[in-house]
Structures are given as C-alpha cells and as structure tokens.
Amino acid sequence: MSGTPLPLLRSPAVAVPQQLDHAAIEQRSAWPTVIVSMPFMDRNRPSIQLGLLKAIVAAHGFPVRTLHANLDFAARLGGDYYDTLCQHRGRMLGDWLFSLEAFGDAAPDRDDRLVEDFADDLSYLGGSRLQWRDRLLRVRHEDVPAYLDAMLDTAWDDVRVVGFSSVFQQSAASFALARRLKQRHPDIVTVFGGANFEGEMGLELVRSVDCVDVAVVGEGDLAFPQLLCALAAGTDPGAVPGVARRVGDQVLATPPTSPLLRLDELPVPDYDEYFARAERLGVLPQVGHRDNWIPFESARGCWWGAKHHCTFCGLNGSTMQFRSKSPQRVLTELAEQARRYRSFRFEAVDNILDMGYLNELFPPLIASSTDYEMFYEVKANLTRAQLRLMAQAGVIQIQPGLESLSSPVLRLMRKGVRAAQNVNLPRWAKYYNIHVSWNIIWGFPGETEQDYKEQADVIPHLVHLRPPAGNGRIWMERFSPLYNQPAEFGVRVCTPERSYRYVYPAGVDLDKVAYFFDYELADALPDAAYASLTQAIKAWSTAWEAAKPPVLKYWSAPDYLQIYDGRYPGTEGTYTFEGTLADIYVACSDRPITASAVRDRLGRRVPVGIVQEAFDEFAQRGLMFLDGSLALALALPAVTGR
Amino acid sequence: MSGKDGIPGSSRRKFGIILGGLGAGAILGATGMAHADDSKGSGSTASTETDARGTRPGSGDVRQIGRSDIDGLAAKLDAVTLSDNERALLVGLLSLAVDTIGRSRTGSPVSPLVSTASGAKGLIGVKTQGHLPSIRDQFSKAFTPGSIRDRAVDEPAKVVGVE
C-alpha cells in the first residue's frame, strides 16, 4: 500500500519571542543555562521535561544544554540495579539515598534506621536481607558522594542558571547537586520545578531548602523562559507569574498565568544530548537503528477528571484542564522525531487519549503507512472498533486505568465505566495484539467485602486475558478528592507517609511537602477482606505465565457456534451451540449488552426471559461475564485481527 | 399480598385463577383478579378442553398451548414456596402476559410471539424457533471434552490439484 506522505515540521510556531534587539541578544547570550534531570529518572528514555524546556529556552535566545545526570548514576550502579530503585514508589528510598548529601548535618536518619524500620517493604531489592542492606548503605555512603563529586567536575564555570526538573523521587538528588554547586559556584542561580513543586509543596521547599533560589510553581513553558529573561535583563524575577522565591524569612510567590492552551505553539523536544550522553556512557548501545521509546506529548490535563475527578487520583494538581495538539501537529512531530532519533517507538506522556484522535489522528496514520509503535493512556470505554483502529495505527501498548472488576467499586471511585467494560477492553486489546497495563486497587470508602468476593469469584473465568500487573490498597495522594475532601470520604487520619521523616530535616513541614500520605478511613475494610482476591490474582498471573497460556475462543457460522475452553489444563473442551443460543452468544461479543437489546438484535423472536436464562447458563460455565443487566461474552473470535 | 400467601392452598388458588384467565382470554390486571376470582376460573370452557389436552410440538414455528399446559404450569407454580415479594413479582409478570394475550384476542396484538387465532387447535400460539428444547437441556449437551491441537502458524491450506 502506498502511503500518504506526511510533511515534516522543522520549526513549529513556538512561544517564540518577538524579534530580539541586539541588546537583548547580548544579555541572553551571557546567561548560559543547564537543565538537569537527576536520579531517579528512568534511564531508558529521555526526559520530555528537559527536551521541551531546552527547545523553549533556546528559542528565547539563551545558550542552553541539558544534563541527564541520571544516566551517570545508572552507569555507576549498573542499569538493572538502578532500574530496580527507579521502579519503587512506595517508600522514599531514592530520596533517602541522597538525603545526607542534600541536607548535610541537618539530614535525619544519619544512622540508616530506614533499612531496618522498612525492611519488610524493601525485600523487592533482591538477595538476602544482609545483601540488599549492605548494597543500599554502600550506595548511600559511597556511590552517592562519589557520583556527586564526579558531576561537579562537569563544566559549570560559565553557567549562570541551573534548572532542576523534579518528579517523584528526584528531589533529594537535585538538592544534593544544587547544594554542592552553590558551594563551589555561589553565583549560580538554581531554579526548581516539576510536579514536586506544585502548590504548597513548592512554596515550602523554597522556604526550607537553602539551595533552592527560585521555584517555578505550575507549568514551566512560559514561566521558566520569562524568569530567565528577567534574570538576564536584571529586572525583578519575582514579578514573573508562577514563580516563588525566598526573600528574607518570607516566601514570595506570584500566581501562575492560566495554563498554556495552544499546545501547537510548543516546540518539538530536543533529545540530542540524552542520546549522546547515554551512548557515551554505555547506557545505550551505539546502533544505526534505535528501539527506544521517544516521549512525546499530544495532550495535557484530563478531560474525564475535569468532569468527574477519580477519587484517588492526584495527577494534574493544578492543570486538570484538557488541552491537546492538533492531529496535524502530532503527525509532523512524530515524523520529525523518528527521523531525528532513528526510533519509531513513541510514548505519549498524556494522561488520557484525546478521543478526537480516533477520527483525526489515527486514520491518517494508517493511511500514511508509517511503522510507528505507540503507547497511550486511555479511558477504559474504548470499543472494539476503536481498538482495531488504534492497533492499525500502531498503538501496541495502552494503560487504561481499569482499577477494578466491580461496578459498585468503580462507582465509588467515579471511574465512569462498568466492570463489564473493564473486561471487554482487555479482551479486544488481546485480540488486536495491544498490550494492556493495569492494576486492581482497593480500599475505597463505602466498599463492601462482597464487592471483593465477587471479583475473586469471577477471576478464574478471565485467565485467558492479561492479568493486572499489580494490586493493593490505594495510596493517598495530594490533590486527589480523597485528600482534598477528607470529611466527605470519612478520612479520619491523614499524615505524611512515614518515610518522609527519614529524608527531610526537622525544619521542613512535611504536611506541606509530602505527596503521599498515610491515612485511616472510618469504614475501611480489613486486609483480610482482600485476601481471596489477592489469591485469585496470583493464580491468574501463574496461569497466564504458564508454558501453554490459557485460551477461550470461538468460531461462529450462521446459527452455529463452537467455543473452545482451554483455560485450565485437564478440563479442556469444546462447547457447541446452535440456533438461538449461538446467536445470543455472538450478540454479546462486541460489547456488554442487555437481554432486551439482544432480543431486539435477534428480531424479537426470543423472549427476554429466554435470553436472560441463556445469560445465566453461559455465565455458570464461565463463558460470559454478567454485570447487573449487562452480559459480555468472554471468548474471543478464534480468527484474529478482523 | 397478604400474609396468607405463604399457605399452599392460598397460592394454588391465585395462580390457578390468573392462568385460568389465559384460557378465557380475559384481560386481567392486578385489579382484575378479584373479578376473575368471582368467575371461578372463567376459562374452563368445555369447548376448549378437548383441543387443549396435552401439548404437542407445534407445526412450523408456533407451539400451541392447551388447557392442560396451563393447568400444569399453575400446579407447578402452586407447589413453589415464594416470599411475598416474589409472589408479587410473579403475579405481576403473569398479569402482563395475560394482558398481552388478551390484546391478541381483541385484535390488538402487542407481541409477535403470541397468537390466539379463533378456532385454532390450541388456546394460545407461542412462536418459537422450531422445536425448542429447554435452555438447560441445550447446555447440558453442549460440552465435548478434549483438547484441540494448536494449529501451526505456517500450516498452509491445501489446494486440490496442486503439487
């Protein structure tokens, strides 16, 4: 098939300043800027924050480079061990490793109590307790100082501003490098930003951490270059919207401007230095064709959250408003980045797919015959046709935020989907060969033990579908409705997650700095209520990973259906149905459907009662998933890809 | 429903009355039951009993329901112990069915599934798709144990006449 050529976009209309006069050019050229990403940022892909800010700052006339300093730490520790540390979010382990260097004599836990007090949570590090304990202590007391010394040897002499992008466990490492830099180069202005500086977290960190000169609180696309311009021009940086700084004992902050609405104005991220550094350090191989995931942003905010904020979700603290790039802009950006970085794999950092892309982005991608592979976060109500379209366009992995297989629990979390939809999505994703990443979570105010017993009971019927990657009680996150409206949800106790105390000095107000919180609910179920579900999920994963994976598939012809059930070794067999039963089953395959809708689809020749009776019989054999009035066939067509 | 509904004799009387209305084609609703009660099973006309003796497979795709079917169903329902709400639900559903059949008799059918042609062999015609065994029976015979062979991905279809 010949493809429709896609135009390349060399210089998107950025938030580029108006024509600069000679004096401004001179001023800005005298303010070299470095933007840094510290551990524990993923080593396998560039930071979109750095790539985007570099392109923005460069467009404003500043000499700017990026420093993926996380790569150096990964090279020092070894990639696998570094990855293990990156992937853990439960305790503040990454921040703790750098806290001595970040806060010096003021740092807590100088005698490494964390490894004892949270030993049960750290066994994932592998090896014996003595082994992982010794390794952590070596990292904290030997690798971290040596690494920071080495980073200080990088060329900083001409640098005027160092910006740190901080998300998840990057704060302490960023403070540690900033502290050393300020000691050696006191004139350097340190600017911090990122999700860890949103809202009062940023204000408190500016107040309490000396090495933070200025923080960008909120989105930095406009504020960061404006701040640099103010610094270069010698005007008051405190007048820039969306920044906070310490003046005497006070923190002065300006409210941010409204979020950037026209994302097409952003430049294409610049990842050149990431790849050069990663290949030089041996973190990535030097090859002609790369298969790295290239981060790209096609939307910000969450259109669902703007209407119904999921009760547990703390993403999009101050920027829930949904905005997206035009499909044409996305197409041209992908084309440019593929050519520039010699990789065809793209990871959307969007919180949720713009549903308009189903009509305007994916069809042209299909028509263009590109060989992209893409990842997107999506809402779980995608239909079979939409998944087929996405698969054809190159989407090979999605994260749909399924979270539960119980409609009552999904209602409690304001997910806006039914359990039957959460089963249907992985069905068709499997059919179209799209990898689904998802979890089952629990602990929602108002849930019952029955909600979890029912999930445990139905899971044995679902083993032919990809199991959840994880499961567990929800975390209390800042900015979530659970956190913001404790009385509404019966939250009795809410304190900063315990390990923050092992990272930050006593003078830091953890209530203001923490993103994760320990909590108690008035009507919380005991852990035992989830035991059977936990066990069922474990068995599901075991079955899925077996040498001969479970299968449940069907073949259909007019008035005739065969379903092969190979979900459990030793009980395999084929169901054969004719006439009405065959028609009923196939009618429930595309999406969840009611008995009366099936009756209508079959030309009203079958009473609803008969359809319902058939539903029950199918469900008893694990061939259908029933969710209130909805029924969903669990088997997939044996012939794939249609 | 009254507290007496749990008494077998009471339930027998009520389901018999309602189902009796099917034979008469009376249009019964919840409020019509008292009237039907007064009529002492108005559907038991001598002219229909002969035709309705027993159920036989319908010709074509219409099953003809006779008097004995109705009586048999009433007897089975009478034997079931139901809660008040279950009884209310069942009475309501049966009343709707009676209403549907009654409308068919009066020339205003609301469902293509039910017919009550005058002079027919049965009291009521119920449209089915040929001979319809019970759902449960169909499921009980549907399963054949045994694993199927995984088809090799590269296994080509054989084309007759081609070496």
Side-chain angles (χ1 to χ4, degrees):
Chain A
M1 186 171 78
S2 66
T4 305
L6 297 174
L8 290 180
L9 181 69
R10 294 307 309 174
S11 300
V14 204
V16 182
Q18 56 279 31
Q19 218 43 28
L20 292 175
D21 59 31
H22 183 70
I25 293 171
E26 286 283 304
Q27 283 175 345
R28 296 180 188 189
S29 65
W31 280 79
T33 299
V34 177
I35 312 170
V36 183
S37 186
M38 291 293 283
F40 287 88
M41 159 83 191
D42 185 353
R43 70 184 168 105
N44 293 307
R45 65 203 70 194
S47 158
I48 193 168
Q49 296 92 337
L50 264 56
L52 185 56
L53 285 173
K54 180 187 176 180
I56 291 173
V57 170
H60 280 76
F62 290 89
V64 57
R65 57 189 167 93
T66 59
L67 175 59
H68 283 82
N70 59 319
L71 297 174
D72 299 68
F73 201 56
R76 178 177 292 271
L77 296 191
D80 291 344
Y81 188 62
Y82 179 83
D83 291 345
T84 303
L85 293 173
C86 282
Q87 287 158 8
H88 186 64
R89 286 203 298 166
R91 303 292 185 186
M92 301 299 118
L93 182 66
D95 278 330
W96 174 81
L97 290 170
F98 279 87
S99 63
L100 294 178
E101 295 297 327
F103 304 112
D105 292 342
D109 196 28
R110 304 189 66 77
D111 54 353
D112 308 316
R113 290 296 309 165
L114 179 135
V115 292
E116 306 299 336
D117 295 351
F118 296 96
D120 291 344
D121 298 330
L122 300 177
S123 57
Y124 72 93
L125 291 168
S128 69
R129 182 165 172 166
L130 189 63
Q131 284 173 324
W132 62 250
R133 180 185 180 283
D134 286 351
R135 183 83 196 265
L136 281 179
L137 298 187
R138 274 205 313 277
V139 171
R140 192 181 200 213
H141 295 285
E142 298 171 20
D143 290 314
V144 164
Y147 159 73
L148 292 169
D149 286 343
M151 295 314 301
L152 216 53
D153 290 338
T154 308
W156 299 100
D157 287 342
D158 63 336
V159 175
R160 303 292 298 275
V161 176
V162 179
F164 290 90
S165 166
S166 181
V167 298
F168 292 116
Q169 297 204 35
Q170 287 184 286
S171 288
S174 300
F175 297 149
L177 181 59
R179 182 165 170 260
R180 291 197 174 205
L181 279 173
K182 296 287 282 185
Q183 286 169 349
R184 184 174 291 188
H185 306 279
D187 292 336
I188 281 180
V189 178
T190 58
V191 182
F192 282 72
N196 289 346
F197 281 78
E198 275 219 67
E200 68 176 353
M201 296 186 295
L203 303 184
E204 174 60 12
L205 290 170
V206 170
R207 185 196 70 77
S208 59
V209 182
D210 289 344
C211 61
V212 179
D213 290 330
V214 188
V216 172
V217 180
E219 294 183 349
D221 317 279
L222 299 175
F224 187 54
Q226 286 177 15
L227 174 64
L228 294 179
C229 291
L231 290 170
T235 58
D236 180 13
V240 175
V243 304
R245 62 193 179 119
R246 204 170 41 251
V247 178
D249 293 336
Q250 288 194 315
V251 175
L252 300 182
T254 51
T257 56
S258 58
L260 185 68
L261 297 179
R262 295 187 295 276
L263 299 189
D264 280 5
E265 293 184 355
L266 292 169
V268 177
D270 180 345
Y271 302 133
D272 291 358
E273 289 159 312
Y274 165 81
F275 284 103
R277 192 173 195 86
E279 290 175 356
R280 183 169 58 77
L281 290 168
V283 175
L284 295 180
Q286 295 189 21
V287 290
H289 166 79
R290 301 184 179 116
D291 64 355
N292 297 80
W293 289 97
I294 306 294
F296 77 104
E297 180 182 56
S298 48
R300 288 185 189 176
C302 178
W303 52 263
W304 174 254
K307 291 186 288 190
H308 303 281
H309 194 169
C310 299
T311 58
F312 61 92
C313 178
L315 300 177
N316 302 298
S318 59
T319 53
M320 187 67 86
Q321 183 180 4
F322 188 72
R323 302 144 278 161
S324 63
K325 289 178 179 172
S326 68
Q328 183 59 32
R329 166 56 197 272
V330 178
L331 291 169
T332 53
E333 184 169 330
L334 296 178
E336 179 170 336
Q337 297 293 67
R339 177 180 294 240
R340 190 169 176 180
Y341 299 115
R342 309 194 307 273
S343 174
F344 299 78
R345 310 184 91 188
F346 293 102
E347 174 192 26
V349 298
D350 310 5
N351 292 142
I352 191 167
L353 174 71
D354 181 345
M355 297 300 276
Y357 288 169
L358 292 165
N359 295 323
E360 297 171 7
L361 175 63
F362 297 130
L365 269 175
I366 296 168
S368 68
S369 290
T370 50
D371 289 311
Y372 303 149
E373 294 180 308
M374 288 184 286
F375 164 85
Y376 259 105
E377 291 191 34
V378 301
K379 196 165 187 294
N381 58 357
L382 291 174
T383 66
R384 172 186 180 176
Q386 290 167 337
L387 286 166
R388 178 172 53 207
L389 181 79
M390 292 172 69
Q392 288 172 344
V395 175
I396 62 165
Q397 191 170 345
I398 56 175
Q399 185 175 316
L402 302 183
E403 322 297 13
S404 180
L405 299 174
S406 162
S407 284
V409 175
L410 288 164
R411 268 194 298 277
L412 291 173
M413 63 174 92
R414 300 178 187 160
K415 259 291 172 184
V417 291
R418 299 278 298 263
Q421 291 171 292
N422 278 355
V423 173
N424 198 35
L425 184 115
R427 278 181 75 232
W428 290 112
K430 180 184 179 188
Y431 183 72
Y432 292 114
N433 207 21
I434 299 174
H435 181 106
V436 179
S437 303
W438 66 292
N439 296 313
I440 288 182
I441 52 179
W442 52 69
F444 294 90
E447 65 189 16
T448 66
E449 295 199 27
Q450 183 66 17
D451 295 330
Y452 291 93
K453 181 183 181 305
E454 288 174 2
Q455 290 184 73
D457 289 346
V458 80
I459 279 178
H461 303 155
L462 307 178
V463 294
H464 59 300
L465 306 176
R466 179 174 290 280
N471 55 271
R473 201 179 280 274
I474 49 170
W475 294 336
M476 174 77 81
E477 297 179 352
R478 183 182 291 275
F479 305 122
S480 69
L482 278 172
Y483 175 83
N484 285 335
Q485 298 132 35
E488 181 181 341
F489 294 102
V491 178
R492 290 193 306 208
V493 176
C494 181
T495 57
E497 194 278 324
R498 200 156 58 97
S499 62
Y500 280 101
R501 294 204 298 269
Y502 294 71
V503 174
Y504 287 95
V508 179
D509 186 344
L510 296 182
D511 285 331
K512 295 178 178 174
V513 163
Y515 181 76
F516 296 110
F517 293 83
D518 293 329
Y519 63 96
E520 290 178 16
L521 299 176
D523 65 348
L525 295 177
D527 287 344
Y530 314 111
S532 61
L533 176 58
T534 305
Q535 197 60 36
I537 293 170
K538 191 175 176 185
W540 186 355
S541 297
T542 302
W544 178 259
E545 291 162 5
K548 191 175 179 186
V551 61
L552 182 66
K553 58 186 177 182
Y554 72 78
W555 300 261
S556 74
D559 291 331
Y560 187 70
L561 173 77
Q562 287 200 304
I563 304 172
Y564 177 65
D565 187 350
R567 285 174 289 186
Y568 290 98
T571 62
E572 298 93 340
T574 304
Y575 292 91
T576 302
F577 299 103
E578 298 186 36
T580 301
L581 288 180
D583 294 343
I584 289 173
Y585 195 81
V586 173
C588 298
S589 183
D590 264 17
R591 61 177 180 272
I593 189 171
T594 63
S596 59
V598 170
R599 186 265 317 267
D600 292 347
R601 182 169 295 185
L602 301 187
R604 303 179 73 88
R605 70 175 192 266
V606 182
V608 167
I610 295 292
V611 177
Q612 190 65 55
E613 188 180 349
F615 282 0
D616 292 340
E617 294 287 341
F618 280 123
Q620 280 178 29
R621 288 155 181 81
L623 303 176
M624 266 193 186
F625 180 82
L626 301 186
D627 177 16
S629 61
L630 295 173
L632 175 69
L634 286 177
L636 281 162
V639 181
T640 57
R642 292 181 174 169
Chain B
M1 292 296 117
S2 74
K4 288 199 305 180
D5 291 342
I7 302 169
S10 171
S11 75
R12 179 187 305 278
R13 193 162 165 253
K14 287 203 168 173
F15 287 124
I17 289 167
I18 297 169
L19 291 169
L22 295 176
I27 300 173
L28 299 179
T31 57
M33 286 166 52
H35 172 72
D37 194 18
D38 293 342
S39 70
K40 305 292 182 189
S42 58
S44 303
T45 59
S47 62
T48 59
E49 283 183 351
T50 306
D51 293 337
R53 195 168 293 133
T55 303
R56 63 179 179 80
S59 55
D61 60 355
V62 176
R63 297 184 69 79
Q64 295 175 5
I65 309 300
R67 178 76 215 180
S68 62
D69 298 313
I70 295 170
D71 290 344
L73 178 58
K76 287 175 183 171
L77 291 175
D78 289 345
V80 179
T81 302
L82 300 171
S83 70
D84 286 356
N85 281 349
E86 289 165 345
R87 181 173 308 286
L89 176 61
L90 187 54
V91 169
L93 293 173
L94 290 174
S95 299
L96 286 172
V98 170
D99 187 30
T100 298
I101 293 164
R103 286 173 187 270
S104 176
R105 285 193 192 284
T106 58
S108 308
V110 294
S111 168
L113 297 173
V114 175
S115 59
T116 54
S118 60
K121 293 172 185 170
L123 283 171
I124 305 163
V126 178
K127 194 174 183 181
T128 66
Q129 191 179 42
H131 178 72
L132 183 67
S134 79
I135 295 288
R136 186 167 298 178
D137 285 348
Q138 292 179 74
F139 272 92
S140 68
K141 298 167 186 165
F143 187 70
T144 307
S147 182
I148 61 171
R149 187 173 67 89
D150 285 337
R151 193 186 337 172
V153 174
D154 56 353
E155 180 181 312
K158 288 203 170 79
V159 180
V160 176
V162 176
E163 290 297 324

